[in-house]
Amino acid sequence: MRKIWIDTDPGFDDLVTLVVASRAEALELTGIGVVAGNAPLVRTLHNTLTIADAFEIHAPIYAGCDRALLRSNTTAEDVLGAGAFGTIGAKLPEPTRIISSGHAVLQLIETVLENPNQITLIAIGPLTNIALAMRLEPKIAGLFQEIILMGGSTDRGNQTAAAEFNFYADPEAASIVFQSGAKITMFGLNLTRQVLLTENHLARVRESKAVHALALADMTAHYLQIRANKIMPLHDPVTVVYLLRPDLFTFDPAYVQIETSGIHSLGASICEFRVPKKASANAFVATKADGEAVMELILGALTQ
């Protein structure tokens, strides 16, 4: 069984990621660190506790950083709604779970040191917690089994023309992580745009009668409706699907740098694929996915 730690900022696709991970028999969810990102930390914490209660996720939940390393906070509430949970806040009960004692950064360091080369980190929000952990204890970078992150893009962004949200929200943190020497697998927008959620998928979730299936489908439908083609990429869950079915993805080695000073390109991920001729690779970047097969695995978890 593979031990994983998830660093998150829910967000509806974070919710789906946590559910898929917690229901995978091949994975042991050892902890959940929460960071400010899609919404301020007080909201992402509340959302995480709500998810854990509703979907019976028993891993400890730790509060992490409430702001980026050097910059003022950026949220996605303009897209995801107040608190970054859209309409689901009214669909799920108030949580009874409480936050575990200890800071997410310190707990992550402790967990990795106690389990060297056994912890796979899945980071699906801004990388503030991870970067701070690496600054406080630099040797943990080499003690992760793997760092799998959703962030960046090999082409266009979504927060700006050049930058994806997670990297834009804390570009200095992303830069620290990519320069750490850790084994990194990156799933950017170029990849997640190949994994498309449709109204037909939501209909199957509703028909399943699974726990909170209606709430989950209604919440996601909210985002489909604001898209002109009624189709949307499902970003974060691909990180967990990769652990379960790596054969569904194609990767290329690359040297990834994060722009931290550009006027028009702040937070952009610059991917040099001409390795080793031009640079030594510091990440494996996902480039292709069997999108429908990925969706089938996600739907299987949601309709249990």
Side-chain angles (χ1 to χ4, degrees):
M1 182 176 290
R2 190 160 180 171
K3 295 180 179 180
I4 64 172
W5 178 287
I6 295 181
D7 196 82
T8 183
D9 62 335
F12 79 93
D13 52 346
D14 303 73
L15 182 160
V16 175
T17 306
L18 289 166
V19 172
V20 174
S22 68
R23 292 179 175 176
E25 295 181 357
L27 304 178
E28 177 187 350
L29 183 53
T30 60
I32 301 170
V34 185
V35 68
N38 282 321
L41 181 64
V42 64
R43 290 303 312 175
T44 57
L45 272 172
H46 183 272
N47 295 347
T48 306
L49 294 170
T50 299
I51 295 165
D53 255 9
F55 294 94
E56 299 182 352
I57 299 172
H58 303 296
I61 297 167
Y62 302 100
C65 296
D66 65 353
R67 65 188 64 192
L69 293 181
L70 300 178
R71 301 176 186 273
S72 59
N73 280 355
T74 299
T75 77
E77 291 175 290
D78 57 331
V79 175
L80 300 179
F85 239 28
T87 59
I88 199 169
K91 300 287 185 178
L92 297 177
E94 282 293 306
T96 59
R97 285 282 299 273
I98 60 173
I99 302 165
S100 298
S101 61
H103 194 282
V105 170
L106 299 179
Q107 292 299 321
L108 176 60
I109 292 171
E110 181 179 315
T111 300
V112 173
L113 292 179
E114 291 178 352
N115 300 273
N117 304 306
Q118 297 179 54
I119 300 296
T120 295
L121 171 64
I122 299 175
I124 53 177
L127 295 176
T128 315
N129 287 343
I130 317 309
L132 185 54
M134 289 177 171
R135 279 291 190 253
L136 290 173
E137 182 49 89
K139 68 182 179 183
I140 69 166
L143 296 178
F144 288 105
Q145 183 174 1
E146 186 176 3
I147 295 178
I148 304 166
L149 56 88
M150 190 279 128
S153 178
T154 64
D155 47 39
R156 65 190 190 276
N158 61 356
Q159 179 67 22
T160 69
E164 176 273 333
F165 174 82
N166 288 339
F167 287 5
Y168 181 87
D170 198 341
E172 285 78 17
S175 182
I176 288 170
V177 172
F178 275 97
Q179 297 301 317
S180 70
K183 180 184 178 182
I184 296 173
T185 304
M186 170 180 145
F187 290 85
L189 297 176
N190 58 291
L191 186 287
T192 61
R193 289 186 178 117
Q194 300 173 43
V195 181
L196 299 176
L197 181 71
T198 69
E199 291 180 322
N200 288 337
H201 294 133
L202 294 187
R204 288 173 55 187
V205 174
R206 288 192 177 95
E207 291 168 1
S208 72
K209 310 300 182 185
V211 175
H212 297 303
L214 288 177
L216 184 60
D218 288 349
M219 174 193 66
T220 310
H222 166 77
Y223 303 109
L224 278 182
Q225 294 306 313
I226 64 177
R227 298 183 68 91
N229 58 2
K230 302 298 187 290
I231 296 173
M232 62 182 287
L234 201 55
H235 303 292
D236 294 342
V238 299
T239 55
V240 174
V241 174
Y242 156 66
L243 286 178
L244 304 175
R245 289 286 308 276
D247 57 299
L248 299 180
F249 304 93
T250 300
F251 302 88
D252 288 321
Y255 178 66
V256 181
Q257 297 183 83
I258 311 302
E259 178 59 66
T260 58
S261 59
I263 296 174
H264 302 294
S265 57
L266 181 67
S269 47
I270 313 303
C271 300
E272 174 58 86
F273 288 104
R274 296 173 296 176
V275 296
K277 183 177 180 179
K278 294 293 184 179
S280 298
N282 64 355
F284 285 92
V285 177
T287 53
K288 295 180 181 178
D290 184 339
E292 193 54 40
V294 173
M295 280 303 310
E296 284 298 319
L297 193 150
I298 293 170
L299 289 173
L302 297 182
T303 57
Q304 284 182 13

